[in-house]
């Protein structure tokens, strides 16, 4: 007998999934996990690729992480994503880590090897994918990163991968800025960054070709906030790119102000799709259906976020 289920929260792009004894299982662990955006996106992709597979969210309490890791291995999970609060805690349970995951200090994608679970951080690939499409000579441009949290680490690693050599990180705490910079000096990736306090941002902008917001300023529901004023954005040179990692709303106030200054703009939506696509490619060795993943994510976000 075959079981036919309609996976909850799958987009209208997806058909019912038929689960059999051969169905491969992928997933995501986190706590909480119920608002994860990955299941609709990954299930739409598996369906589009014709893969007999399903992607399932698993709520894993921090104290249960070691047991869960062993259990996921024992039941034959193919691979999984990792979200808060386990992105760091999962690392000691992996047999190998990519340089970027080591440098960022966080893992969001895990796959099976003969020796055990291996991990990487696909936020780096997700971040640079939309930038690679831009006709910019990255090594010579100045990058300014606003914020020094988890996403900023992926952004710095991504800029390093693009070949950028003039990377500045701007934040409101001098102590946290210093800690952020020190961390890169002993990292698996030899990135040199410079830092400035938030008040000095304006002095950097005239030569900035890429300005990245990694703070939550402007994220739903505080959609009227922007990390940078229109007057400061007007200091950027023509052709510069304003990149906001926020994906809700689209566009953010920051990007509206940037567009009004004639700057190129990128939001966090494609990064979100591309980090998922990079994970899917690791697990399946198949070229991910980016457009379908984007449509599924947009449909899900549209259904779950108002305003
Ligand atoms: P995080 O680790 O909490 O870091 C947030 C950073 O923003 C910190 O450096 C924080 O500095 C700074 N910040 C917060 N409020 C600020 C303010 N009012 N003024 C100046 N700086 C402020 O968060 P995260 O994980 O890096 O995520 C940051 C953003 O990126 C979120 O909006 C998230 O949705 C987005 N993101 C998007 C993707 C994607 O795929 N598109 C992926 C990851 C993250 P303090 O420590 O001084 O508060």
């Amino acid at each position: 007998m075959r079981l036919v289920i309609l996976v909850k929260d799958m987009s209208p792009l997806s058909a019912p999934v038929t689960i059999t004894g051969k169905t491969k299982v992928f997933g995501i662990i986190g706590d909480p996990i119920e608002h994860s955006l990955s299941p609709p996106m990954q299930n739409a992709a598996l369906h589009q690729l014709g893969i007999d597979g399903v992607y399932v969210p698993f709520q894993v309490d921090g104290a249960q992480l070691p047991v869960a890791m062993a259990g996921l291995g024992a039941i034959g999970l193919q691979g999984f994503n990792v979200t808060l609060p386990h992105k760091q805690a999962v690392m000691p349970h992996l047999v190998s880590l990519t340089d970027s995951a080591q440098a960022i200090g966080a893992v969001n994608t895990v796959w099976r090897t003969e020796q055990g679970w291996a991990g990487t951080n696909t936020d780096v690939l997700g971040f640079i994918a939309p930038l690679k499409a831009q006709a910019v000579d990255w090594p010579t441009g100045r990058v300014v990163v606003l914020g020094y949290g988890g996403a900023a680490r992926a952004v710095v690693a991504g800029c390093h991968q693009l070949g950028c050599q003039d990377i500045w990180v701007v934040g409101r705490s001098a102590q946290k800025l210093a800690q952020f910079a020190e961390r890169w000096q002993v990292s698996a990736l030899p990135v040199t960054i410079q830092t400035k306090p938030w008040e000095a941002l304006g002095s950097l902008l005239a030569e900035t070709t890429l300005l990245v917001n990694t703070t939550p300023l402007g994220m739903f529901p505080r959609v009227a906030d922007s990390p940078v004023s229109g007057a400061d954005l007007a200091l950027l040179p023509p052709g510069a790119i304003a990149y906001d990692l926020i994906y809700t709303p689209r566009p953010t106030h920051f990007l509206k102000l940037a567009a009004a200054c004639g700057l190129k703009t990128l939001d966090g939506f494609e990064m979100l799709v591309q980090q998922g696509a990079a994970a899917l490619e690791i697990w399946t060795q198949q070229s991910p259906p980016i457009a379908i993943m984007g449509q599924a994510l947009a449909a899900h976000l549209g259904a779950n976020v108002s305003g």
Side-chain angles (χ1 to χ4, degrees), residues 147-151 172 176 198 214-217 219 245-247 268 271-272:
Y148 37 51
R172 58 183 175 174
K176 288 185 185 178
W198 199 278
T214 77
T215 78
L217 286 165
M219 188 165 69
L245 297 204
I246 293 170
Y247 45 82
M271 173 174 170
L272 192 57

mmCIF file of all heavy atoms in Angstrom, residues 147-151 172 176 198 214-217 219 245-247 268 271-272, ligand 1:
data_model
loop_
_atom_site.group_PDB
_atom_site.id
_atom_site.type_symbol
_atom_site.label_atom_id
_atom_site.label_comp_id
_atom_site.label_asym_id
_atom_site.label_seq_id
_atom_site.Cartn_x
_atom_site.Cartn_y
_atom_site.Cartn_z
ATOM 1 N N GLY A 147 27.035 46.051 10.499
ATOM 2 C CA GLY A 147 26.706 45.000 11.467
ATOM 3 C C GLY A 147 27.803 43.964 11.542
ATOM 4 O O GLY A 147 28.611 43.819 10.600
ATOM 5 N N TYR A 148 27.858 43.261 12.697
ATOM 6 C CA TYR A 148 28.935 42.276 12.920
ATOM 7 C C TYR A 148 28.383 41.004 13.557
ATOM 8 O O TYR A 148 29.031 40.366 14.377
ATOM 9 C CB TYR A 148 30.033 42.904 13.790
ATOM 10 C CG TYR A 148 29.488 43.837 14.873
ATOM 11 C CD1 TYR A 148 28.477 43.408 15.732
ATOM 12 C CD2 TYR A 148 29.943 45.143 15.010
ATOM 13 C CE1 TYR A 148 27.947 44.249 16.687
ATOM 14 C CE2 TYR A 148 29.423 45.998 15.962
ATOM 15 C CZ TYR A 148 28.415 45.535 16.804
ATOM 16 O OH TYR A 148 27.879 46.363 17.739
ATOM 17 N N GLY A 149 27.171 40.634 13.167
ATOM 18 C CA GLY A 149 26.555 39.417 13.701
ATOM 19 C C GLY A 149 26.863 38.210 12.829
ATOM 20 O O GLY A 149 27.835 38.196 12.065
ATOM 21 N N GLY A 150 26.033 37.171 12.938
ATOM 22 C CA GLY A 150 26.262 35.922 12.209
ATOM 23 C C GLY A 150 26.248 36.119 10.703
ATOM 24 O O GLY A 150 27.114 35.602 9.986
ATOM 25 N N ALA A 151 25.286 36.875 10.201
ATOM 26 C CA ALA A 151 25.188 37.066 8.748
ATOM 27 C C ALA A 151 26.388 37.853 8.229
ATOM 28 O O ALA A 151 26.875 37.601 7.118
ATOM 29 C CB ALA A 151 23.886 37.786 8.411
ATOM 30 N N ARG A 172 28.001 49.534 16.013
ATOM 31 C CA ARG A 172 27.784 50.556 17.049
ATOM 32 C C ARG A 172 28.529 50.269 18.345
ATOM 33 O O ARG A 172 28.543 51.094 19.240
ATOM 34 C CB ARG A 172 26.296 50.710 17.316
ATOM 35 C CG ARG A 172 25.607 49.435 17.739
ATOM 36 C CD ARG A 172 24.118 49.675 17.910
ATOM 37 N NE ARG A 172 23.427 48.419 18.194
ATOM 38 C CZ ARG A 172 22.152 48.342 18.490
ATOM 39 N NH1 ARG A 172 21.427 49.430 18.529
ATOM 40 N NH2 ARG A 172 21.589 47.174 18.730
ATOM 41 N N LYS A 176 32.630 45.107 20.283
ATOM 42 C CA LYS A 176 32.205 44.009 19.392
ATOM 43 C C LYS A 176 32.901 44.102 18.031
ATOM 44 O O LYS A 176 33.215 43.086 17.411
ATOM 45 C CB LYS A 176 30.692 44.031 19.222
ATOM 46 C CG LYS A 176 29.935 43.588 20.466
ATOM 47 C CD LYS A 176 28.445 43.527 20.169
ATOM 48 C CE LYS A 176 27.643 43.217 21.404
ATOM 49 N NZ LYS A 176 26.192 43.202 21.135
ATOM 50 N N TRP A 198 29.942 53.387 13.909
ATOM 51 C CA TRP A 198 28.777 53.745 13.086
ATOM 52 C C TRP A 198 28.804 55.235 12.708
ATOM 53 O O TRP A 198 28.485 55.595 11.570
ATOM 54 C CB TRP A 198 27.488 53.409 13.857
ATOM 55 C CG TRP A 198 26.311 53.319 12.966
ATOM 56 C CD1 TRP A 198 25.562 54.356 12.511
ATOM 57 C CD2 TRP A 198 25.769 52.133 12.377
ATOM 58 N NE1 TRP A 198 24.576 53.902 11.690
ATOM 59 C CE2 TRP A 198 24.673 52.543 11.586
ATOM 60 C CE3 TRP A 198 26.093 50.773 12.449
ATOM 61 C CZ2 TRP A 198 23.901 51.634 10.871
ATOM 62 C CZ3 TRP A 198 25.317 49.876 11.737
ATOM 63 C CH2 TRP A 198 24.244 50.301 10.959
ATOM 64 N N THR A 214 23.605 44.109 7.137
ATOM 65 C CA THR A 214 23.374 42.825 7.808
ATOM 66 C C THR A 214 22.684 43.039 9.149
ATOM 67 O O THR A 214 22.609 42.106 9.952
ATOM 68 C CB THR A 214 24.692 42.034 8.029
ATOM 69 O OG1 THR A 214 25.396 42.598 9.140
ATOM 70 C CG2 THR A 214 25.566 42.040 6.796
ATOM 71 N N THR A 215 22.228 44.269 9.421
ATOM 72 C CA THR A 215 21.472 44.495 10.657
ATOM 73 C C THR A 215 19.993 44.232 10.359
ATOM 74 O O THR A 215 19.580 44.225 9.196
ATOM 75 C CB THR A 215 21.618 45.951 11.163
ATOM 76 O OG1 THR A 215 20.765 46.800 10.384
ATOM 77 C CG2 THR A 215 23.047 46.439 11.103
ATOM 78 N N PRO A 216 19.199 44.058 11.415
ATOM 79 C CA PRO A 216 17.760 43.855 11.157
ATOM 80 C C PRO A 216 16.990 45.162 10.975
ATOM 81 O O PRO A 216 15.760 45.137 10.913
ATOM 82 C CB PRO A 216 17.297 43.099 12.411
ATOM 83 C CG PRO A 216 18.293 43.397 13.463
ATOM 84 C CD PRO A 216 19.568 43.830 12.813
ATOM 85 N N LEU A 217 17.689 46.290 10.852
ATOM 86 C CA LEU A 217 16.999 47.581 10.716
ATOM 87 C C LEU A 217 16.205 47.638 9.409
ATOM 88 O O LEU A 217 16.787 47.562 8.323
ATOM 89 C CB LEU A 217 18.024 48.716 10.750
ATOM 90 C CG LEU A 217 18.607 49.021 12.128
ATOM 91 C CD1 LEU A 217 19.858 49.882 12.005
ATOM 92 C CD2 LEU A 217 17.557 49.705 12.986
ATOM 93 N N MET A 219 13.551 45.516 8.949
ATOM 94 C CA MET A 219 12.874 44.221 8.795
ATOM 95 C C MET A 219 11.429 44.321 9.300
ATOM 96 O O MET A 219 11.160 45.053 10.257
ATOM 97 C CB MET A 219 13.642 43.169 9.598
ATOM 98 C CG MET A 219 13.166 41.758 9.382
ATOM 99 S SD MET A 219 14.378 40.575 10.015
ATOM 100 C CE MET A 219 14.265 40.809 11.764
ATOM 101 N N LEU A 245 20.311 42.270 3.344
ATOM 102 C CA LEU A 245 20.071 40.838 3.553
ATOM 103 C C LEU A 245 18.634 40.540 3.970
ATOM 104 O O LEU A 245 18.197 39.397 3.937
ATOM 105 C CB LEU A 245 21.023 40.268 4.613
ATOM 106 C CG LEU A 245 22.525 40.294 4.345
ATOM 107 C CD1 LEU A 245 23.222 39.208 5.149
ATOM 108 C CD2 LEU A 245 22.870 40.148 2.888
ATOM 109 N N ILE A 246 17.908 41.588 4.355
ATOM 110 C CA ILE A 246 16.508 41.397 4.769
ATOM 111 C C ILE A 246 15.673 40.962 3.560
ATOM 112 O O ILE A 246 15.865 41.485 2.458
ATOM 113 C CB ILE A 246 15.970 42.708 5.377
ATOM 114 C CG1 ILE A 246 16.703 43.002 6.690
ATOM 115 C CG2 ILE A 246 14.460 42.657 5.589
ATOM 116 C CD1 ILE A 246 16.424 44.380 7.266
ATOM 117 N N TYR A 247 14.763 40.014 3.767
ATOM 118 C CA TYR A 247 13.912 39.558 2.664
ATOM 119 C C TYR A 247 12.437 39.885 2.871
ATOM 120 O O TYR A 247 11.617 39.604 2.002
ATOM 121 C CB TYR A 247 14.107 38.052 2.407
ATOM 122 C CG TYR A 247 14.130 37.206 3.649
ATOM 123 C CD1 TYR A 247 12.952 36.809 4.266
ATOM 124 C CD2 TYR A 247 15.346 36.826 4.216
ATOM 125 C CE1 TYR A 247 12.983 36.047 5.418
ATOM 126 C CE2 TYR A 247 15.384 36.078 5.373
ATOM 127 C CZ TYR A 247 14.213 35.688 5.968
ATOM 128 O OH TYR A 247 14.240 34.944 7.116
ATOM 129 N N GLY A 268 17.536 40.380 0.224
ATOM 130 C CA GLY A 268 17.963 39.097 0.769
ATOM 131 C C GLY A 268 17.192 37.896 0.241
ATOM 132 O O GLY A 268 17.510 36.758 0.584
ATOM 133 N N MET A 271 19.378 35.590 -1.880
ATOM 134 C CA MET A 271 20.361 34.923 -1.010
ATOM 135 C C MET A 271 19.715 33.736 -0.307
ATOM 136 O O MET A 271 20.308 32.658 -0.194
ATOM 137 C CB MET A 271 20.908 35.919 0.011
ATOM 138 C CG MET A 271 21.800 35.286 1.054
ATOM 139 S SD MET A 271 22.544 36.539 2.130
ATOM 140 C CE MET A 271 23.260 35.495 3.403
ATOM 141 N N LEU A 272 18.493 33.972 0.159
ATOM 142 C CA LEU A 272 17.777 32.908 0.866
ATOM 143 C C LEU A 272 17.540 31.709 -0.057
ATOM 144 O O LEU A 272 17.734 30.553 0.328
ATOM 145 C CB LEU A 272 16.450 33.482 1.367
ATOM 146 C CG LEU A 272 15.650 32.689 2.352
ATOM 147 C CD1 LEU A 272 16.448 32.384 3.600
ATOM 148 C CD2 LEU A 272 14.377 33.470 2.717
HETATM 149 P P1 LIG B 1 22.590 38.937 14.521
HETATM 150 O O1 LIG B 1 23.646 37.903 14.652
HETATM 151 O O2 LIG B 1 21.657 39.199 15.642
HETATM 152 O O3 LIG B 1 23.339 40.326 14.130
HETATM 153 C C1 LIG B 1 22.636 41.527 13.992
HETATM 154 C C2 LIG B 1 23.617 42.682 13.858
HETATM 155 O O4 LIG B 1 22.869 43.878 13.673
HETATM 156 C C3 LIG B 1 24.502 42.894 15.084
HETATM 157 O O5 LIG B 1 25.770 43.279 14.648
HETATM 158 C C4 LIG B 1 23.806 44.058 15.780
HETATM 159 O O6 LIG B 1 24.708 44.835 16.545
HETATM 160 C C5 LIG B 1 23.321 44.858 14.612
HETATM 161 N N1 LIG B 1 22.220 45.740 14.965
HETATM 162 C C6 LIG B 1 21.018 45.382 15.459
HETATM 163 N N2 LIG B 1 20.267 46.488 15.672
HETATM 164 C C7 LIG B 1 21.036 47.554 15.328
HETATM 165 C C8 LIG B 1 20.842 48.959 15.322
HETATM 166 N N3 LIG B 1 19.690 49.492 15.737
HETATM 167 N N4 LIG B 1 21.851 49.756 14.898
HETATM 168 C C9 LIG B 1 23.023 49.231 14.484
HETATM 169 N N5 LIG B 1 23.280 47.886 14.469
HETATM 170 C C10 LIG B 1 22.286 47.073 14.877
HETATM 171 O O7 LIG B 1 21.641 38.644 13.276
HETATM 172 P P2 LIG B 1 22.053 37.902 11.910
HETATM 173 O O8 LIG B 1 21.776 36.448 12.036
HETATM 174 O O9 LIG B 1 23.406 38.345 11.525
HETATM 175 O O10 LIG B 1 20.936 38.473 10.904
HETATM 176 C C11 LIG B 1 20.930 39.839 10.582
HETATM 177 C C12 LIG B 1 19.918 40.125 9.468
HETATM 178 O O11 LIG B 1 20.273 39.409 8.297
HETATM 179 C C13 LIG B 1 18.475 39.725 9.793
HETATM 180 O O12 LIG B 1 17.621 40.711 9.284
HETATM 181 C C14 LIG B 1 18.297 38.423 9.032
HETATM 182 O O13 LIG B 1 16.950 38.215 8.653
HETATM 183 C C15 LIG B 1 19.155 38.678 7.805
HETATM 184 N N6 LIG B 1 19.650 37.431 7.203
HETATM 185 C C16 LIG B 1 19.251 37.147 5.932
HETATM 186 C C17 LIG B 1 19.692 35.991 5.330
HETATM 187 C C18 LIG B 1 19.256 35.673 3.925
HETATM 188 O O14 LIG B 1 19.417 34.541 3.474
HETATM 189 N N7 LIG B 1 18.735 36.640 3.193
HETATM 190 C C19 LIG B 1 20.561 35.119 6.003
HETATM 191 C C20 LIG B 1 20.957 35.444 7.311
HETATM 192 C C21 LIG B 1 20.484 36.621 7.901
HETATM 193 P P3 LIG B 1 24.642 44.862 18.163
HETATM 194 O O15 LIG B 1 25.215 43.562 18.622
HETATM 195 O O16 LIG B 1 25.439 46.053 18.525
HETATM 196 O O17 LIG B 1 23.166 44.971 18.515
#
